């Protein structure tokens, strides 16, 4: 049941958005249409309301050490204004959530969690900090922060045009870094060069009471550069083409980062690098790394027109069940059905011919390396 509203709800209604319940939030599914919004991000720019995401602040003298213990990444190695993609795992190696962590000061980190997992991540952070006796605390600032994303080739020009003269220049930001920026109207924003679309882009964290002003500013500055508002449907198709996992589809408590091809985010430390202490799930994840997983995440491209959907079985040409689709849809960019699926390791090599059972009919699919789409390729 929907009971949470972003500070931009009125703007969505005024723009004629189709609204849906997403993780307890009333969110825009689409405005002008799924394909039009998808193509706008690939060709120009899209504007997204992501205020349903959770913003959890971890502060204190031991904030970095606490996150080193709570997450699979080595957070204490982050520089100021850096961002890092990481995960929180269970003791047995399953994924509680995938996260982006920003270091806003030496003793101040912002952990951005998926909306559906915010409370679980908040609780686990507090429990793990207490268990380790760390001098740190966690505060949930989700309600006071709005998150607005500008994504696409024109994003850098649009966000630059949103800034006051003399403000830090967005083009100077490297990928996965952030800065405090002064926007037109004297509004301050924490701006990160991050995103979930496979395109260049920025995510702007602003006070909730300024969300409408910042949204309007982006619409105004982006109007001549092809920017349009975009909903959850296009965000899903964009991230799928870019091979980015979605929690609840490619990631869950029953799957490890290694099964998803994301073992690189698990930092065990290196013999020639900084020492890495214990973290929750370390022992289990080390065993998975050593032994491998029976099934792995792959990309599938269809030869026909019918799209595979999450939950559909993946089979061999002989009809043997060898996997399951986690995400799938017709790709607006490729013009073919694409899907991500977990399949048996023995049939996971690119070029392998498989099929997906689409409502009783076997649709031919070929295994490909992820991602399906890479910017500039």
């Amino acid at each position: 049941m929907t009971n949470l509203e972003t500070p931009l709800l009125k703007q969505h209604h005024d723009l004629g958005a189709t609204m849906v319940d997403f993780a307890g939030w009333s969110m825009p599914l689409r405005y002008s249409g799924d394909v039009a919004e998808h193509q706008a991000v690939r060709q120009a720019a899209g504007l997204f309301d992501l205020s349903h995401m959770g913003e959890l602040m971890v502060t204190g003298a031991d904030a970095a050490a606490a996150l080193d213990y709570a997450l699979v990444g080595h957070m204490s190695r982050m520089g100021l204004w850096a961002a890092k993609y990481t995960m929180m795992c269970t003791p047995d190696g399953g994924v509680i959530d995938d996260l982006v962590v920003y270091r806003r000061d030496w003793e101040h980190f912002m952990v951005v969690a998926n909306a559906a997992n915010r409370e679980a991540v908040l609780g686990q952070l507090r429990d793990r900090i207490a268990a380790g006796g760390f001098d740190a605390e966690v505060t949930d600032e989700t309600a006071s922060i709005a998150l607005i994303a500008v994504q696409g080739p024109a994003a850098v020009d649009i966000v630059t045009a949103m800034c006051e003269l003399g403000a830090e220049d967005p083009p100077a930001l490297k990928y996965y870094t952030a800065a405090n920026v002064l926007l037109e109207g004297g509004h301050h924003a924490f701006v990160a060069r991050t995103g979930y679309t496979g395109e260049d882009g920025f995510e702007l964290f602003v006070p909730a009471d300024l969300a409408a002003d910042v949204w309007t500013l982006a619409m105004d500055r982006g109007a001549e550069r092809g920017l349009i508002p975009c909903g959850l449907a296009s965000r899903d198709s964009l991230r799928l083409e870019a091979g980015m996992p979605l929690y609840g589809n490619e990631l869950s408590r029953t799957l490890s980062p290694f099964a998803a091809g994301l073992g690189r985010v698990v930092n065990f430390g290196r013999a020639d690098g900084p020492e890495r202490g214990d973290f929750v799930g370390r022992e289990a994840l080390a065993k998975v790394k050593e032994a491998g997983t029976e099934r792995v995440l792959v990309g599938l491209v269809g030869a026909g027109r019918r799209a595979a959907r999450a939950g559909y079985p993946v089979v061999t040409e002989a009809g043997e069940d060898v996997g399951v689709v986690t995400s799938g849809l017709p790709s607006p960019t490729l013009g073919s059905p694409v899907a991500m699926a977990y399949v048996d390791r023995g049939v996971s090599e690119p070029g392998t011919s498989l099929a997906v059972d689409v409502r009783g009919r076997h649709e031919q699919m070929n295994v490909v390396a992820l991602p399906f789409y890479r910017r500039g390729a």
Side-chain angles (χ1 to χ4, degrees):
M1 178 177 175
T2 300
N3 56 12
L4 297 171
E5 300 175 353
T6 85
L8 293 167
L9 186 66
K10 181 180 185 301
Q11 281 68 28
H12 302 321
H13 285 305
D14 290 347
L15 289 165
T18 299
M19 305 297 291
V20 295
D21 175 16
F22 183 80
W25 292 78
S26 181
M27 295 294 296
L29 181 65
R30 67 179 60 87
Y31 301 85
S32 56
D34 299 351
V35 174
E37 293 168 26
H38 180 108
Q39 291 177 336
V41 175
R42 289 282 181 254
Q43 299 168 8
L47 182 64
F48 297 85
D49 176 15
L50 306 179
S51 303
H52 61 305
M53 301 292 283
E55 286 86 20
L56 311 176
M57 304 299 171
V58 181
T59 58
D62 293 340
L67 289 174
D68 280 347
Y69 175 70
L71 309 178
V72 301
H74 204 171
M75 300 297 110
S76 61
R77 294 186 62 193
M78 293 176 65
L80 288 179
W81 309 108
K84 182 179 284 292
Y85 177 74
T86 188
M87 296 181 184
M88 172 181 280
C89 285
T90 64
D92 62 2
V95 180
I96 295 173
D97 200 15
D98 61 332
L99 313 159
V100 177
V101 177
Y102 300 87
R103 191 165 201 166
R104 303 192 64 169
D105 206 338
W106 293 116
E107 298 181 0
H108 182 182
F109 294 80
M110 178 170 66
V111 178
V112 178
N114 287 297
N117 296 326
R118 175 179 59 85
E119 292 185 359
V121 173
L122 176 64
Q124 283 296 315
L125 283 173
R126 288 174 171 166
D127 289 348
R128 294 175 186 192
I129 287 172
F134 297 104
D135 179 11
E137 64 176 348
V138 187
T139 55
D140 184 354
E141 298 189 13
T142 303
S144 64
I145 294 175
L147 176 54
I148 297 171
V150 181
Q151 299 283 300
V156 65
D157 291 337
I158 293 168
V159 176
T160 300
M162 293 170 64
C163 294
E164 288 277 14
L165 293 177
E168 181 155 351
D169 195 8
L173 282 179
K174 295 181 180 179
Y175 188 51
Y176 263 67
T177 64
N180 286 324
V181 170
L182 183 64
L183 303 176
E184 278 191 24
H187 302 324
H188 291 271
F190 181 74
V191 177
R193 200 161 196 167
T194 49
Y196 191 57
T197 63
E199 296 294 341
D200 190 13
F202 298 83
E203 295 180 317
L204 292 77
F205 298 84
V206 300
D209 59 357
L210 297 179
D213 290 345
V214 175
W215 178 273
T216 300
L217 178 62
M219 291 283 287
D220 289 346
R221 296 297 175 267
E224 295 182 356
R225 297 174 171 89
L227 176 141
I228 64 173
C230 298
L232 294 174
S234 61
R235 190 166 185 253
D236 189 46
S237 59
L238 290 159
R239 70 90 194 169
L240 175 53
E241 286 186 349
M244 295 177 170
L246 176 66
Y247 194 90
N249 291 47
E250 288 74 40
L251 301 173
S252 75
R253 290 177 181 243
T254 63
L255 294 164
S256 79
F258 292 95
L262 294 170
R264 64 184 181 277
V265 308
V266 183
N267 188 317
F268 294 103
R270 303 191 311 272
D272 60 345
E275 184 72 21
R276 175 79 202 270
D278 191 22
F279 59 89
V280 177
R282 177 171 186 147
E283 182 177 351
L285 289 167
K287 291 179 180 178
V288 174
K289 180 181 180 181
E290 179 69 22
T293 59
E294 293 182 1
R295 285 186 168 177
V296 294
L297 188 67
V298 300
L300 299 174
V301 175
R305 300 183 63 180
R306 301 177 79 199
R309 303 291 181 178
Y312 287 6
V314 181
V315 298
T316 64
E317 293 178 340
E320 178 188 1
D321 188 341
V322 291
V324 62
V325 173
T326 54
S327 298
L329 45 69
S331 165
T333 303
L334 277 65
S336 303
V338 299
M340 287 197 281
Y342 278 102
V343 301
D344 293 349
R345 186 172 291 277
V347 295
S348 65
E349 285 299 312
T352 303
S353 180
L354 296 173
V356 174
D357 187 338
V358 180
R359 297 187 295 276
R361 177 177 169 179
H362 287 186
E363 296 290 334
Q364 183 182 350
M365 297 271 176
N366 291 318
V367 177
V368 299
L370 291 169
F372 304 103
Y373 167 85
R374 193 185 304 274
R375 174 167 55 100

